Amino acid sequence: MYIYEKNKGATAFYYHDEREPKSLVDNQQVNWIREDSDHSLWIGAEDTVIYNLKDKKIERINETTRCMLQDSKKRFWLATSNRGLALFSKEKGIIR
């Protein structure tokens, strides 16, 4: 996956690497892409993964996510396949 960073005038390439547990997961369907209020880009893949590319952090959860919304209190709400709506924290993962 290529991401162009306009403010840096550079392109970053993200890919799957079997030796790197924090790389993108291979052969995953991407369900959504969102930018939060801190300008972090989040990607929800088919099988239990959320990628925060700004922080180069991957959060793995036991749900397939369909979309994400950040509310006015900067909380993240995930629509999941099994659980319905889930509250997500950058620090703690899924809260409820």
Side-chain angles (χ1 to χ4, degrees):
M1 174 176 61
Y2 290 93
I3 296 181
Y4 176 69
E5 297 183 47
K6 186 177 180 179
N7 60 338
K8 294 180 181 177
T11 302
F13 178 62
Y14 296 88
Y15 60 94
H16 173 70
D17 181 347
E18 291 178 359
R19 300 164 295 180
E20 177 56 54
K22 295 216 174 226
S23 70
L24 294 177
V25 178
D26 195 22
N27 293 322
Q28 293 276 322
Q29 173 181 313
V30 172
N31 292 330
W32 53 267
I33 300 173
R34 295 286 182 271
E35 182 178 20
D36 69 16
S37 61
D38 295 328
H39 304 288
S40 294
L41 185 64
W42 295 79
I43 301 169
E46 181 180 84
D47 188 25
T48 70
V49 180
I50 298 171
Y51 304 104
N52 177 339
L53 297 179
K54 182 177 181 181
D55 298 334
K56 295 191 176 26
K57 184 176 181 182
I58 296 176
E59 298 289 338
R60 298 185 187 275
I61 60 174
N62 290 327
E63 290 284 344
T64 297
T65 59
R66 297 295 177 204
C67 66
M68 179 180 86
L69 173 75
Q70 186 179 30
D71 67 18
S72 61
K73 295 180 182 178
K74 295 191 175 188
R75 298 177 298 187
F76 296 98
W77 294 93
L78 299 171
T80 69
S81 295
N82 299 320
R83 190 186 291 222
L85 280 178
L87 182 59
F88 177 80
S89 165
K90 284 185 181 182
E91 296 77 28
K92 298 177 184 177
I94 286 191
I95 299 172
R96 57 182 166 150

